[in-house]
Amino acid sequence: MSAFAGSEANETFVLNLGPQHPATHGVLRVKLTMDGEYIVEAEPVLGYIHRMHEKMGENRTWAQFLPNTGRMDYLHALAYNHGYVSVVERAAGIAVPERAEYLRVITAELNRVSSHLLWFGAFILDLGGFSPLLYAFDDREHILDLLESVTGSRLTYCYFRFGGVYNDIDDNFVAGTQAFIKRLRGRMPMYHNLVTKNIILMTRLKEIGPISAEMCRKYGATGPVCRGSGINFDVRKHEPYSIYPEFDFDVPVYEQGDSMARYMVRMDEIEQSLRIIEQALDKLPEGPVMADKVPKILKPAKGDYYHAVETARGSFGVRVVSDGSNTPYRLKLRSPTFSNLSLFGEACRGMLLPDALALMGSLDLVIPEIDR
Amino acid sequence: MIDYLREIISGTWSLFVGLGITIRYFFQPVVTVQYPYQTLPMTPRFRGHIELVKDEETGETRCIVCGMCQKACPSNCITVNGEKREGVKGKVLTEYRLDFTKCSLCGLCVESCTPKAITFSKDYNLAGVRKEAYIFDLKKRLEAKNR
Ligand code: SF4
Ligand code: SF4
């Protein structure tokens, strides 16, 4: 990073990044106070795509909120499905059949890989490289086809239900997923040769946009952002849910805290997700995919419940308060990107504008999920 | 100094490696489909807008106008109307209106229907210039299909 050459005369100007800007990947506005090419202050302005998901949840039955969960983070919709169904299952005391849990893990991990692939393409696009996006989309397309064949949709899945999943997988899906794992494993060296080892990428990411572990803790950053700063925290490992404890996988952690570290965390996570899927397919038990005796009209017992899941962007938590009726009394969604974005203002102070954009890309922002 | 030179050489080499990969991919078969000249078949579970199922025996709808789908829909897309007719047990469907502009294709209606009277269609390339074009009368659609 080049040194901050602030001028004495205090001549700054305000630059609006967004709300419509290719680098913000959505309607996010960042008010930048600039001194020449250097950022003096950055203030994210949120709310352009606020849809009141929490309030919507409080005005409809428990089941009717299910489709909303996929619309918050459209890139890793299944994890959001998972968080919401898990908290309601906890509240209503529904036991989920084992096979359904396996299917949830397999599909959610596939979805995580597709999310990381899209992030990979879009991030390199932010930095000015176009071809990797096309290669990543080629691989991602295979995942979307696989998920479409079981869930019926390609992006905003609504596949999980209270007590299980919507429908079972078939042999084609199993064979297709195994073939895909092989294919992606074969392609990863190509990605590393094409992108990771590229000198332009390295100079644009190494030691750029440092985020300390301290800062992550201060703003509550989770996911690859905190793991790129040396904090070993993954909800799947440290607050285990579903059947994750049964699988053998590593949590990639990098100490450097720069954009390169966050990049590497995600690239390594793709491989770890593939490992989980592989093990899950091997161990996949037979049985029903839906609990019997799930009441049609759900009325969870009075109480306050919380459940967190690890999404591609970090820890997503759902808190529901039930008053025993057929609608939630309070629904609170803790979205990871909101916390991850919050540190942007502090982290990019004194940075060159193009470096700050690289930092922003490395945070992997999904705007509808920040605003909810 | 040596490090500096080494970095220049390895850096330049990394660019050539990348170029080699893109050139290799350039000569590989195309992976995209030339839509709309080519199309892919929809998967059996593809969720298009809902439609009424034709009962194989009677050739009519199986809907018993219970209104469960209407109640299950999160976005109030469905309006079902029926009437009592003499000599017929239960109600007869007179109108099944779907406001597809608000539908999120969640499938809760299909799941809630006990007689399995509705299903997903495979229409995916809908196009229209007015909002009204997406307010379907599913009963009329079924009748038109039967004719
Ligand atoms: S479509 Fe099914 S759920 Fe809806 S009114 Fe008819 S029978 Fe009832
Ligand atoms: S698919 Fe969902 S949103 Fe669409 S009509 Fe059925 S219940 Fe309503």
Side-chain angles (χ1 to χ4, degrees), chain A residues 95-107 150 159-160 163-165 167-171 173-174 242-243 246-247 280-291, chain B residues 45:
Chain A
V96 185
E98 214 188 355
R99 186 177 170 87
E101 283 291 11
Y102 270 83
L103 297 189
R104 284 181 181 179
V105 167
I106 295 170
T107 48
V150 281
Y159 177 50
F160 302 162
V165 296
N167 44 29
D168 204 351
I169 59 170
D170 51 15
D171 293 342
F173 176 81
V174 177
S242 189
I243 43 155
E246 291 186 21
F247 302 120
L281 284 175
D282 286 343
K283 290 196 209 163
L284 189 66
E286 292 297 320
V289 294
M290 195 67 195
Chain B
R45 284 183 187 167

Coordinates of all heavy atoms in Angstrom, one line a residue, chain A residues 95-107 150 159-160 163-165 167-171 173-174 242-243 246-247 280-291, chain B residues 45:
Chain A
A95 N -38.5 -33.1 15.4 CA -37.3 -33.9 15.2 C -37.2 -34.1 13.7 O -38.2 -34.5 13.0 CB -37.3 -35.2 15.9
V96 N -36.1 -33.9 13.1 CA -35.9 -34.1 11.7 C -35.3 -35.4 11.3 O -34.3 -35.8 12.0 CB -35.0 -32.9 11.1 CG1 -34.9 -33.0 9.6 CG2 -35.5 -31.6 11.6
P97 N -35.8 -36.2 10.4 CA -35.2 -37.5 10.0 C -33.8 -37.3 9.5 O -33.4 -36.2 9.0 CB -36.1 -38.0 8.9 CG -37.2 -37.1 8.8 CD -37.0 -35.9 9.6
E98 N -33.0 -38.3 9.7 CA -31.5 -38.2 9.5 C -31.3 -37.9 8.0 O -30.4 -37.1 7.6 CB -30.8 -39.4 9.9 CG -29.4 -39.1 10.4 CD -28.6 -40.4 10.7 OE1 -29.2 -41.5 10.5 OE2 -27.5 -40.3 11.0
R99 N -32.0 -38.6 7.1 CA -31.8 -38.4 5.7 C -32.0 -37.0 5.3 O -31.3 -36.4 4.5 CB -32.7 -39.4 4.9 CG -32.4 -39.3 3.4 CD -33.3 -40.4 2.7 NE -33.2 -40.2 1.2 CZ -32.3 -40.8 0.5 NH1 -31.4 -41.6 1.0 NH2 -32.3 -40.6 -0.8
A100 N -33.1 -36.4 5.9 CA -33.4 -35.0 5.5 C -32.2 -34.1 5.9 O -31.8 -33.2 5.2 CB -34.6 -34.5 6.2
E101 N -31.6 -34.3 7.1 CA -30.5 -33.5 7.5 C -29.3 -33.7 6.5 O -28.6 -32.7 6.2 CB -30.0 -33.9 8.9 CG -30.9 -33.4 10.0 CD -30.8 -31.9 10.2 OE1 -30.3 -31.2 9.4 OE2 -31.4 -31.4 11.3
Y102 N -29.1 -34.9 6.1 CA -28.0 -35.1 5.1 C -28.3 -34.3 3.8 O -27.4 -33.6 3.3 CB -27.9 -36.6 4.8 CG -26.9 -37.3 5.7 CD1 -27.3 -37.7 6.9 CD2 -25.6 -37.5 5.3 CE1 -26.5 -38.4 7.8 CE2 -24.7 -38.1 6.2 CZ -25.1 -38.6 7.4 OH -24.3 -39.2 8.3
L103 N -29.6 -34.4 3.4 CA -29.9 -33.6 2.1 C -29.7 -32.1 2.3 O -29.2 -31.4 1.5 CB -31.3 -33.9 1.7 CG -31.6 -35.4 1.3 CD1 -33.0 -35.5 0.7 CD2 -30.6 -35.9 0.4
R104 N -30.1 -31.7 3.5 CA -29.9 -30.3 3.8 C -28.4 -29.9 3.7 O -28.1 -28.8 3.1 CB -30.4 -29.9 5.2 CG -31.9 -29.9 5.3 CD -32.3 -29.5 6.7 NE -33.7 -29.5 6.8 CZ -34.4 -29.2 7.9 NH1 -33.7 -29.0 9.0 NH2 -35.7 -29.2 8.0
V105 N -27.6 -30.7 4.3 CA -26.1 -30.4 4.3 C -25.6 -30.4 2.9 O -24.9 -29.5 2.4 CB -25.4 -31.3 5.2 CG1 -23.9 -31.2 5.0 CG2 -25.7 -31.0 6.7
I106 N -26.0 -31.5 2.1 CA -25.4 -31.6 0.8 C -25.8 -30.4 -0.1 O -25.0 -29.8 -0.7 CB -25.9 -32.9 0.1 CG1 -25.4 -34.1 0.9 CG2 -25.6 -33.0 -1.3 CD1 -26.0 -35.4 0.4
T107 N -27.1 -30.1 0.0 CA -27.6 -29.0 -0.9 C -27.0 -27.6 -0.4 O -26.6 -26.8 -1.2 CB -29.1 -28.9 -1.0 OG1 -29.6 -29.0 0.4 CG2 -29.7 -30.1 -1.8
V150 N -33.4 -31.0 -8.1 CA -34.1 -31.4 -6.8 C -35.0 -30.4 -6.3 O -36.1 -30.7 -5.7 CB -33.1 -31.8 -5.7 CG1 -32.6 -33.1 -5.9 CG2 -32.1 -30.8 -5.5
Y159 N -36.5 -24.9 -0.3 CA -36.4 -26.3 -0.4 C -36.7 -27.0 0.9 O -37.2 -28.1 1.0 CB -35.1 -26.7 -1.0 CG -34.8 -28.2 -1.1 CD1 -35.7 -29.1 -1.7 CD2 -33.6 -28.8 -0.6 CE1 -35.5 -30.4 -1.8 CE2 -33.4 -30.1 -0.7 CZ -34.3 -30.9 -1.3 OH -34.0 -32.3 -1.4
F160 N -36.3 -26.3 2.0 CA -36.4 -26.9 3.3 C -37.8 -26.6 3.9 O -38.3 -25.6 3.7 CB -35.3 -26.4 4.3 CG -33.9 -26.7 3.8 CD1 -32.9 -25.9 4.3 CD2 -33.7 -27.6 2.8 CE1 -31.6 -26.2 3.9 CE2 -32.4 -27.8 2.4 CZ -31.3 -27.1 2.9
G163 N -39.3 -29.8 9.6 CA -39.4 -31.3 9.7 C -38.7 -32.0 8.6 O -38.8 -33.2 8.5
G164 N -38.1 -31.3 7.6 CA -37.5 -32.1 6.6 C -37.2 -31.3 5.3 O -37.0 -30.1 5.4
V165 N -37.3 -31.9 4.2 CA -37.1 -31.2 2.9 C -38.3 -31.5 2.0 O -39.1 -32.4 2.3 CB -35.8 -31.6 2.2 CG1 -34.6 -31.2 3.0 CG2 -35.7 -33.1 1.9
N167 N -38.7 -32.5 -1.2 CA -38.7 -33.8 -1.9 C -37.4 -34.4 -1.9 O -36.3 -33.8 -1.7 CB -39.3 -33.7 -3.3 CG -38.8 -32.5 -4.1 OD1 -37.7 -32.1 -3.9 ND2 -39.6 -32.0 -5.0
D168 N -37.4 -35.7 -2.2 CA -36.2 -36.5 -2.1 C -35.3 -36.4 -3.3 O -35.8 -35.9 -4.4 CB -36.6 -38.0 -1.9 CG -35.5 -38.8 -1.2 OD1 -34.4 -38.3 -1.0 OD2 -35.8 -40.0 -0.9
I169 N -34.0 -36.8 -3.2 CA -33.1 -36.7 -4.3 C -33.2 -38.1 -5.0 O -33.7 -39.1 -4.5 CB -31.7 -36.4 -3.9 CG1 -31.2 -37.5 -2.9 CG2 -31.6 -35.1 -3.3 CD1 -29.7 -37.4 -2.7
D170 N -32.7 -38.1 -6.3 CA -32.7 -39.4 -7.0 C -31.2 -39.8 -7.3 O -30.3 -39.1 -7.0 CB -33.5 -39.3 -8.3 CG -33.2 -38.1 -9.1 OD1 -32.1 -37.6 -8.8 OD2 -34.0 -37.8 -10.0
D171 N -31.1 -40.9 -8.0 CA -29.7 -41.4 -8.3 C -29.0 -40.5 -9.2 O -27.8 -40.3 -9.2 CB -29.8 -42.8 -8.9 CG -30.3 -43.8 -7.9 OD1 -30.2 -43.5 -6.7 OD2 -30.7 -44.9 -8.3
F173 N -29.1 -37.3 -9.3 CA -28.5 -36.2 -8.5 C -27.2 -36.7 -7.8 O -26.2 -36.0 -7.9 CB -29.5 -35.7 -7.4 CG -28.9 -34.7 -6.5 CD1 -28.9 -33.3 -6.9 CD2 -28.4 -35.0 -5.3 CE1 -28.3 -32.4 -6.1 CE2 -27.9 -34.0 -4.4 CZ -27.8 -32.7 -4.9
V174 N -27.2 -37.9 -7.3 CA -26.0 -38.4 -6.6 C -24.9 -38.5 -7.6 O -23.8 -38.0 -7.4 CB -26.3 -39.7 -5.9 CG1 -25.1 -40.3 -5.3 CG2 -27.4 -39.5 -4.9
S242 N -27.2 -29.2 13.0 CA -27.5 -30.2 12.0 C -26.6 -31.4 12.2 O -26.3 -31.8 13.3 CB -27.4 -29.6 10.6 OG -27.8 -30.5 9.6
I243 N -26.0 -32.0 11.1 CA -25.1 -33.1 11.3 C -23.7 -32.8 11.0 O -22.9 -33.7 10.7 CB -25.6 -34.3 10.5 CG1 -26.0 -33.8 9.1 CG2 -26.7 -35.1 11.1 CD1 -25.9 -34.8 8.0
E246 N -20.5 -34.8 12.3 CA -20.2 -36.1 11.7 C -19.2 -36.0 10.6 O -18.7 -37.1 10.2 CB -21.4 -36.8 11.2 CG -22.4 -37.1 12.4 CD -23.6 -38.0 11.9 OE1 -23.5 -38.6 10.8 OE2 -24.6 -37.9 12.6
F247 N -18.9 -34.8 10.1 CA -18.0 -34.8 9.0 C -16.6 -34.3 9.4 O -16.5 -33.5 10.3 CB -18.6 -33.9 7.9 CG -19.9 -34.3 7.4 CD1 -21.0 -33.5 7.6 CD2 -20.1 -35.6 6.9 CE1 -22.3 -33.9 7.2 CE2 -21.3 -36.0 6.5 CZ -22.4 -35.2 6.6
A280 N -20.9 -36.8 2.9 CA -22.3 -37.0 3.1 C -23.0 -37.9 2.1 O -23.8 -38.7 2.4 CB -23.0 -35.6 3.0
L281 N -22.5 -37.9 0.8 CA -23.0 -38.8 -0.2 C -22.7 -40.2 0.1 O -23.5 -41.1 -0.1 CB -22.5 -38.4 -1.6 CG -23.1 -37.1 -2.2 CD1 -22.4 -36.8 -3.5 CD2 -24.6 -37.3 -2.5
D282 N -21.5 -40.4 0.7 CA -21.1 -41.8 1.0 C -21.9 -42.3 2.2 O -22.2 -43.5 2.2 CB -19.6 -41.8 1.5 CG -18.7 -41.6 0.2 OD1 -19.2 -41.8 -0.9 OD2 -17.5 -41.3 0.4
K283 N -22.2 -41.5 3.1 CA -22.9 -41.9 4.3 C -24.4 -41.9 4.2 O -25.1 -42.3 5.2 CB -22.4 -41.1 5.6 CG -21.0 -41.3 6.0 CD -20.9 -40.7 7.4 CE -19.5 -40.2 7.7 NZ -19.5 -39.3 8.9
L284 N -24.9 -41.3 3.2 CA -26.3 -41.0 3.1 C -27.2 -42.1 3.5 O -27.2 -43.2 2.9 CB -26.6 -40.6 1.6 CG -28.0 -40.1 1.3 CD1 -28.2 -38.7 2.0 CD2 -28.2 -39.9 -0.2
P285 N -28.0 -42.0 4.6 CA -28.8 -43.1 5.0 C -30.1 -43.1 4.3 O -30.5 -42.1 3.6 CB -29.1 -42.7 6.5 CG -29.0 -41.2 6.6 CD -28.1 -40.8 5.4
E286 N -30.8 -44.2 4.3 CA -32.1 -44.4 3.7 C -33.1 -43.8 4.7 O -32.8 -43.6 5.9 CB -32.4 -45.8 3.4 CG -31.6 -46.4 2.3 CD -31.8 -45.7 1.0 OE1 -33.0 -45.4 0.7 OE2 -30.9 -45.5 0.2
G287 N -34.4 -43.7 4.3 CA -35.4 -43.3 5.2 C -36.2 -42.1 4.7 O -36.0 -41.7 3.6
P288 N -37.2 -41.7 5.5 CA -38.0 -40.6 5.1 C -37.3 -39.3 5.0 O -36.2 -39.1 5.7 CB -39.1 -40.6 6.1 CG -38.5 -41.1 7.4 CD -37.5 -42.1 6.9
V289 N -37.8 -38.3 4.2 CA -37.2 -37.0 4.2 C -38.0 -35.9 4.9 O -37.7 -34.8 4.9 CB -36.9 -36.5 2.8 CG1 -35.8 -37.4 2.1 CG2 -38.1 -36.5 1.9
M290 N -39.1 -36.4 5.5 CA -40.0 -35.5 6.2 C -40.5 -36.1 7.5 O -40.8 -37.3 7.5 CB -41.2 -35.2 5.2 CG -42.0 -34.1 5.6 SD -41.1 -32.5 5.3 CE -42.2 -31.4 6.2
A291 N -40.5 -35.4 8.5 CA -40.9 -35.9 9.8 C -42.4 -36.1 9.7 O -43.1 -35.3 9.1 CB -40.6 -35.0 10.9
Chain B
R45 N -39.0 -31.2 -12.1 CA -39.4 -30.5 -10.9 C -39.4 -29.0 -11.1 O -39.6 -28.2 -10.2 CB -38.5 -30.8 -9.8 CG -38.8 -32.2 -9.2 CD -38.0 -32.5 -8.1 NE -38.1 -33.9 -7.7 CZ -37.3 -34.5 -6.8 NH1 -36.3 -33.9 -6.3 NH2 -37.6 -35.8 -6.5

